[in-house]
Amino acid sequence: MQARTKLARTAAMVLVPVMALAACAGSDDDTEGADGPGTTDPADPPGNGVEAQPGFETCPEDPYNCNSGERADGGSITWLVVSGVRTWNTYSPEGGTVYGLQVLHGIYPHIGMFGPDRETFEFNMDLLAEEPQLLSEDPYSWQYVIRDEAVWDDGTPITADDFSVSWKLGTSAEAGHCEGCRSRATTNFDQIESVEGSDDGKTVTLTLKPGEVNLEWFTMFGVDDVGGGVMPAHVAAENGFDVDDPAQLGDYFEWLQETMPTFSGGPYRIVEGNLEERVIKEPNENWYGETQPTLDTYIMRIIPDQGAWVPALSNNEIHGGSPIQLIEDILRSLDQMPNVHYHIQPGPAWEHIDFNLDVPELQDVALRRAIFTAIDADNIAARIYGEMYPEYTRRTNHLFAEDHPNHVDLVTETGMGSGDTDAALAILAEAGYEFDGQTLTLDGDQIGPFRLRATSDLVRSTSMELIQADLAQIGVETNIEPTDDLGTMLFEGDYHIAQFGWSGDPAFVGLTSQYYTTGSPSNFGGFTNDDVDRLAQEELTRLDIDEAADIANEIMRIVLDEAYVLPLWDVPVFTFITDDYVNVRDNTATSLRGVYNNHEWGTAVQ
Amino acid sequence: MAVYTMRRLLAAIPVLLAASVLCFLLIDLSGDPLGDLRVAQPPVDPAVIASEEVRMYLDRSVPQRYLLWMTGIGGNGDIGLLQGKFGPSVRGPAFDIGAEIGARFLITLRLVVIALMMAIGLAIVSGVISAVKQYSTVDYLLTFTGFLALAMPAFWIGALIKEGGVWANRELGTGFATIGAASADTRGFTAWESFTDAAAHLFLPTLALMLTGYAALSRYQRASMLEVLNSDYVRLARAKGVRNRVVIRRHALRTALIPLTTVSALVIAGTIDGAIIIERIFQWRGLGDFFLESVSTNDSYSVMGWLMLSGIIVVTANLVADLLYGVLDPRIRYG
């Protein structure tokens, strides 16, 4: 006992100074942080949606070039990834998350992505020799011509074989190409009849099955498609997988799940990493693109805890990031860091309120309309975002953001989301409801109370409270029941009224079918309407994208008229970066966000 | 002693079994492991979801699943606690829960062991000084410090220390790290650089964890020491003219350490579990982080693995505490 006590005491006495000294020794890189806190005026709101930050001032007008600058050779950047990644295979449900795509961007060759203007699909002309063209509408077919220079990091040409393997990896079991592949989305790939190569595999021809149409064919194999790019066929062969054998392709799928990709067909290659902490990348020396990376090292650091971001940034442990939503405390802290700039703008997600139509009382469309009319969406948004980002955008269309070319304001004219209590009461009175100033009744029976549910984050908690207050004005009682398991809540229909978000890129075909047709797994509230079902089917078979958009808007009108879903606002997001780096900016049209152009990043020339 | 130990170990089995049943039921009620998959956008192929249900054994009833999880009989070879297999994870077929818990346990242990050694050492020193200098300024100062650390929640201590570290780096040029157990890029580090890097990452979380453990232990040590100092045999030693330093070190301290030793065993167990908060704040990928990640993803078998490990640690720590008491205190005899 004495010996143990002595040991403990000695260890404690020795370790403290040793650790302190070692920590104080630091490393060569640990030289800078913020220049010190500035004065904080509590009345001075955070957020520079009002006053643009240096480098980002021109983003609204020039989203492709803001924060540009000349790059110096060399340097290192550590980029924040706000959530862990479960597996390496972006084709799987576990690996194909937003964060998985972000971490692996720059490794897989891809066809392109929507640009920061949130409208134009930019083909990846580093990979492609010419812009892809639609060859035929019957059968639906298109072609990629790959540059001769496009190769994997080991010099193997990128060819049709890679596209073919990737296609098969993304198909369902029913398609028969792969046994055991668990693709996270199979609809588009299951439409494909064949992927054929010619010109030594440098020309890739994709043909859909008879009768199938994909109006947004150009997004296939893009960064936001199922796998975020193309997987290598030759790596499968090198590791003993015969990709023509469905069982062995399934084994390749699992191999990709557990194997950190050391191959690359993009500007970077991964040299070290794990899925929980960090991934280290270096430039791919065989990258064939026009703009070569100049950074020596590009580290993606996974830090799920929001509270850790600012200290890590102050401490030079991270240099930038693009989190998924605004966080007031963080913006206030960034405001005090003169060497850090950030930019706020509407993000790829939008919030909405949905009814569960399995609840008998909520099957009355008049009640639903009245409830939506009583909710003051602008007031809620202003209270949540007003100080940080007064330019927040109310969502006035279920599918199309305000800057989308097919956007039509469908909401304003309906009065839903206006917070007009009198109008809401008038709707109720007309439908036979009685309001005694406190309680709403129908035929003497009280309406509600309804279960109002959302996740318990600050934004939604605030929103729930304000919605509850709005509905109390028309006598609709609600009980707020937060959840930390949104997936189960939605899937099991365990709510009466729910607020949650959808997110996506400007591609839209098929979304109405997904959200609002009878029996669709994403139609959580059980909405059913024959016209919507018919129109959604029509939308999928149209050959003109504007016609498809018109049909989608028509569907949205019906959904709104039925008061099933009330769009609220586009969720604002922000990107931050220290002034040591240039060419870092946000692209909210893709799930990649700030890393969309990571090969263009560099340390600023001083 | 051996009989007693065996009896205690056997008694622990039904306790752990009951705990496992209760935990399994609660976890099953807490959410669907495939909840996120079911609402993923674009929707995941129903066939994939069905195959995941089979892989996760969700196609079986709760009692069937519990028996399977415990015994592995009727499983696919990836489940059965008694066979050392913790079950499949929502993180994919390749994810080995057992191996992950093992690796994470070592990370947590690195943090906890040093923190506790320091906490216990500091608690002994400050407890003794406080007791010997009872009602002096030093005693009041140490008491105040102890109560302050005791009153502050771990997340608050952690955040303050982290901010302090960042401030020290900025103002004093120190090199404390605030995230992770090592720098992101340690390639090419020499052994010394690796050591200093580890120490730089260890310092702040260790300090935070140490303070949370130290507070209670120092109060314990002070009370214990005071009790011994007021005992007859210490008075006798002094009356015999034994020097004060010898009285305190040889006669008083040794006896006063007995309660602390037994309490320390329990504190170690508590700290391993309690490291969740500190690991989260400093982004260490230890057991605490594993638990939080598993809970947030409804990864039921991972949560069960963590809970069972936690249960075993607590039961073992209790046993060790009881045994230590018997070893250290000659008045205690186990039969």
Side-chain angles (χ1 to χ4, degrees), chain B residues 71-85:
Chain B
T71 64
I73 297 168
N76 299 326
D78 58 355
I79 195 166
L81 194 64
L82 297 177
Q83 300 174 29
K85 290 167 182 166

Side-chain angles (χ1 to χ4, degrees), chain A residues 1-10, chain B residues 261 324 327-328:
Chain A
M1 178 62 207
Q2 191 179 26
R4 282 184 211 159
T5 309
K6 274 184 180 174
L7 177 67
R9 193 162 49 196
T10 309
Chain B
T261 309
L324 275 176
V327 170
L328 298 173

Side-chain angles (χ1 to χ4, degrees), chain A residues 289-338:
Chain A
E290 187 182 343
T291 305
Q292 293 289 326
T294 55
L295 293 167
D296 293 329
T297 315
Y298 165 33
I299 299 168
M300 306 205 77
R301 189 97 199 218
I302 297 156
I303 310 177
D305 182 30
Q306 295 174 2
W309 299 347
V310 170
L313 185 64
S314 301
N315 213 28
N316 210 30
E317 290 169 283
I318 59 170
H319 305 111
S322 37
I324 53 169
Q325 62 176 336
L326 292 194
I327 303 147
E328 185 170 351
D329 288 348
I330 290 178
L331 292 181
R332 282 189 189 280
S333 300
L334 297 187
D335 277 339
Q336 296 177 46
M337 299 169 71

Side-chain angles (χ1 to χ4, degrees), chain A residues 211-361:
Chain A
E212 296 282 2
V213 174
N214 186 343
L215 283 176
E216 286 160 338
W217 57 273
F218 48 85
T219 63
M220 199 167 269
F221 296 111
V223 297
D224 285 306
D225 198 22
V226 177
V230 176
M231 298 285 178
H234 72 286
V235 171
E238 283 170 5
N239 286 279
F241 303 109
D242 177 2
V243 294
D244 294 324
D245 176 349
Q248 291 197 40
L249 189 62
D251 292 339
Y252 182 46
F253 188 96
E254 288 307 323
W255 183 85
L256 289 167
Q257 287 271 85
E258 48 193 278
T259 310
M260 184 184 82
T262 51
F263 54 80
S264 174
Y268 292 101
R269 63 189 182 90
I270 297 175
V271 292
E272 197 176 292
N274 59 55
L275 293 166
E276 282 126 19
E277 287 181 286
R278 82 280 189 264
V279 170
I280 305 172
K281 299 175 185 174
E282 288 180 353
N284 169 12
E285 288 171 6
N286 279 333
W287 163 241
Y288 42 84
E290 187 182 343
T291 305
Q292 293 289 326
T294 55
L295 293 167
D296 293 329
T297 315
Y298 165 33
I299 299 168
M300 306 205 77
R301 189 97 199 218
I302 297 156
I303 310 177
D305 182 30
Q306 295 174 2
W309 299 347
V310 170
L313 185 64
S314 301
N315 213 28
N316 210 30
E317 290 169 283
I318 59 170
H319 305 111
S322 37
I324 53 169
Q325 62 176 336
L326 292 194
I327 303 147
E328 185 170 351
D329 288 348
I330 290 178
L331 292 181
R332 282 189 189 280
S333 300
L334 297 187
D335 277 339
Q336 296 177 46
M337 299 169 71
N339 66 327
V340 178
H341 310 303
Y342 62 89
H343 177 227
I344 308 175
Q345 62 181 319
W350 57 283
E351 291 281 304
H352 49 93
I353 301 170
D354 289 33
F355 284 116
N356 183 350
L357 302 188
D358 288 337
V359 179
E361 287 170 315

